[in-house]
Every structure is written in structure tokens, then in C-alpha cells.
Amino acid sequence: MSRMSDTWILAAQCPSRLGTVDVVTRFLKEQQCYITELNSFDDRHGGRFFIRAEFRPERDVFHEESFHADFAARASEFDMQFELTPPGKRTGTVILVSKADHCLNDLLYRYRTGQLPLDIRAVISNHPDLEPLATWHGLPYHYLPISPETKLEQEAQVRKIIADTDAELVVLARYMQVLSPDMCELLAGRAINIHHSLLPGFKGAKPYHQAYEKGVKLVGATAHYINNDLDEGPIIAQGVEPVDHTHYPEDLVAKGRDIECLTLARAISYHLERRVFFYSGRTVVFGN
Ligand SMILES: Nc1nc2c(c(=O)[nH]1)N[C@@H](CN(C=O)c1ccc(C(=O)N[C@@H](CCC(=O)O)C(=O)O)cc1)CN2
């Protein structure tokens, strides 16, 4: 899930047109940059093109500002929007949790071992249970309890922590509170939730119990961006685990934990590596 930290990432999208691959690859060659990974997709239904290149400069000095300005001039001819990400970037992140600890525990292991290039700046929860886990990792833990009367005030406190820490990414690691429309607007495209079912199936609370009642033969997890339609945000990654009639709801909950952790970590990795593009309420994902 981790990537070579010496490569740059150029992610771009534009209206479909002849020459869109060439404008990227030719520019990188002219800039003496060696392409180590290249993905592209052209959506013939919507007439939209997507490309992602990982590259390594083959010259001694690489000036990001002039590279960006020079490519912007080329990209403008194709009405191309792009993003350039430097090697080894660690993304400022805040993690929201409630009581379930498995996803937080897994993320903190991947953070501590460098597998996910995160700069975790705070853990926020509406319960006190997971403070020891955050503290062991040397991370600030903000216990912000919620009641129906204090939900909006609590969310204002969450918003302030996100702003004060200058967090770019917000991860809902089994955070069991619905975010307000204003929060969803603030966090559009940068808040990732793990839902413990194969969406769009079994939305809302207790999806494993819903699945049990339906006698499913697969349980799953879905990592998606948050939006105002509960559990309907653009999907980034999904994972499945076979189950059968011998599994009761508590067994499904237990079997689902690993796939939730892996699916969330995979989605975060894709986000950090600019492998995810938004498109018509869905995503284009250049996975690895
Ligand atoms: N605006 C959004 N907020 C959240 C989303 C989302 O997609 N859009 N995903 C949820 C996570 N989630 C399922 O994955 C989920 C969490 C909570 C609930 C819910 O009914 N919560 C109740 C309170 C439950 C409790 O106190 O234990 C509520 O908020 O009133 C449903 C689904 C995270 N937020």
C-alpha cells in the first residue's frame, strides 16, 4: 500500500480530445522526467478524460514552481485541471471515532510504521474509550460528548479542531454520528468514512444485523467520501468476506472487522496518492 517516496504525482482530467495522453507524456519527457507509472481512462459516455502519472526527475535540480507554471500553460490548451504532488508528502489528518477501536488501531499501526504517509494531528471522539490508544501513539485526543441538545455545539468544536490543526483529510473510523449539511460542505472531497456493509446495501445503523436477517453469503465494507446523503457518498473502495448460515450477527461483526480495516486503509492510500477522481457523483480510481 505504500509507494516509492522518490516519485512525483501528476493527476489531471479534461474534456475528451485527441492528444491528451501526449500532452502529459511529451511534457514529462521534455522536462527529463522518467515515468514510473501511467494510468489513463476516457469515459466515452460523458466525454471526460483522466490521467495519472508517477515520475522521477532525471536531472539534478527540479524546480516545482516553474514545472507547475510550464505545465499549466500546456494544460490550458486542453482545458485540463491538474494537481502536482511532491514525493514523501505527509497529509495533515484528523481522525473521528466513537467506541469501535479496530479501524483506529489499524490506522495507527500503518501510521506508526510509515505505511500510510499521514501526519495525524488529532483524534476526536464522542466517547472517552479510545483515549489510551491515541495517547500511546503520542496523539492529542479530544473527548467531545454529544447529546441531542449539544450536537451542533459539538460539531462546531470538531470544526474548530480541524481548522486549528489545518487538517487536509478527515477520516471517520467508525464515527457513529451523522454530520450536518454545513459540515459535509466544508469537508467535501476530503472526508472518508468506512461503512460496514457493501453499499448501497444496508445503509444506516447496524448493517450486519440487517444482513443477517437477509441471509447474505457475503458481508463487506465500503469506504466512501462523506456527503449529505447518508452513506451515499462517492465510493472509493469496497471489500468482501464470505459468510454462511452458521454465522450469527455477532459473528458477522467479528468477521467484518478485518475487511473494514483493509478497505479503509486502501481508500486512504488511494486518496493520498491522488488515485481517485470525482466524476458525475461517482469516482474513477486508478488502484494498485
Ligand atoms: N452526513 C453524513 N454523516 C455521516 C455519514 C455520511 O455518509 N454522511 N456516514 C456515517 C457513518 N455511519 C455509517 O457508516 C452512520 C453513523 C451514524 C448513524 C446514526 O444513525 N447515528 C445516530 C446516532 C447513533 C448513536 O448515537 O449511536 C445519529 O447521528 O443521530 C448512521 C450511519 C458518519 N456520518
Side-chain angles (χ1 to χ4, degrees):
M1 210 169 280
S2 60
R3 71 179 177 91
M4 287 290 289
S5 62
D6 66 344
T7 56
W8 290 73
I9 299 169
L10 178 60
Q13 61 174 292
C14 65
S16 301
R17 188 181 137 187
L18 197 62
T20 46
V21 174
D22 178 69
V23 68
V24 172
T25 56
R26 181 188 300 268
F27 179 80
L28 290 173
K29 180 175 182 291
E30 289 169 2
Q31 295 289 321
Q32 296 175 277
C33 294
Y34 184 80
I35 296 173
T36 57
E37 181 179 335
L38 185 68
N39 302 90
S40 69
F41 168 68
D42 186 84
D43 177 79
R44 63 175 182 275
H45 288 172
R48 195 77 181 161
F49 173 78
F50 306 84
I51 190 165
R52 176 186 182 277
E54 280 195 27
F55 64 89
R56 185 172 52 238
E58 296 285 294
R59 55 180 198 234
D60 296 337
V61 180
F62 179 81
H63 292 294
E64 179 177 357
E65 295 74 21
S66 57
F67 179 97
H68 192 284
D70 292 348
F71 184 70
R74 299 281 183 86
S76 64
E77 296 167 25
F78 289 81
D79 190 18
M80 183 179 274
Q81 291 83 46
F82 71 95
E83 185 174 5
L84 183 63
T85 303
K89 173 180 163 53
R90 292 173 66 240
T91 299
T93 301
V94 164
I95 302 178
L96 303 183
V97 294
S98 288
K99 281 189 172 182
D101 60 355
H102 54 290
C103 289
L104 176 63
N105 190 56
D106 181 77
L107 286 180
L108 292 182
Y109 175 80
R110 296 176 195 267
Y111 157 74
R112 179 168 60 84
T113 57
Q115 183 181 351
L116 285 176
L118 295 171
D119 174 8
I120 300 176
R121 297 179 181 166
V123 177
I124 302 173
S125 179
N126 57 321
H127 294 281
D129 306 53
L130 302 188
E131 181 160 16
L133 188 54
T135 303
W136 188 88
H137 287 83
L139 297 172
Y141 187 90
H142 300 271
Y143 167 39
L144 304 179
I146 286 180
S147 69
E149 300 73 32
T150 65
K151 195 166 174 88
L152 285 180
E153 167 54 30
Q154 188 266 6
E155 195 173 84
Q157 293 174 286
V158 173
R159 186 195 303 261
K160 186 175 187 307
I161 294 166
I162 293 170
D164 291 350
T165 58
D166 195 24
E168 180 184 324
L169 175 63
V170 176
V171 177
L172 285 74
R174 292 299 302 277
Y175 184 65
M176 302 313 289
Q177 294 298 316
V178 178
L179 301 185
S180 69
D182 286 348
M183 196 67 147
C184 291
E185 185 176 348
L186 173 75
L187 300 178
R190 63 188 184 103
I192 297 175
N193 176 62
I194 184 70
H195 181 76
H196 35 314
S197 82
L198 267 184
L199 291 175
F202 309 133
K203 297 173 189 169
K206 297 189 175 298
Y208 289 123
H209 290 71
Q210 298 178 53
Y212 173 76
E213 292 303 324
K214 292 297 183 182
V216 299
K217 304 312 173 196
L218 289 172
V219 292
T222 302
H224 63 97
Y225 289 108
I226 289 282
N227 67 15
N228 199 34
D229 300 318
L230 187 62
D231 300 330
E232 295 196 7
I235 292 172
I236 307 167
Q238 295 188 294
V240 295
E241 178 74 15
V243 294
D244 62 33
H245 55 280
T246 65
H247 298 127
Y248 294 95
E250 59 270 26
D251 304 312
L252 300 182
V253 169
K255 283 179 78 66
R257 288 193 187 103
D258 287 346
I259 206 72
E260 290 170 44
C261 293
L262 183 59
T263 303
L264 178 57
R266 179 172 287 127
I268 292 170
S269 178
Y270 288 171
H271 177 86
L272 297 176
E273 295 187 6
R274 301 297 183 260
R275 294 180 179 275
V276 187
F277 298 78
F278 290 105
Y279 180 53
S280 297
R282 303 190 305 277
T283 58
V284 169
V285 179
F286 292 136
N288 65 340

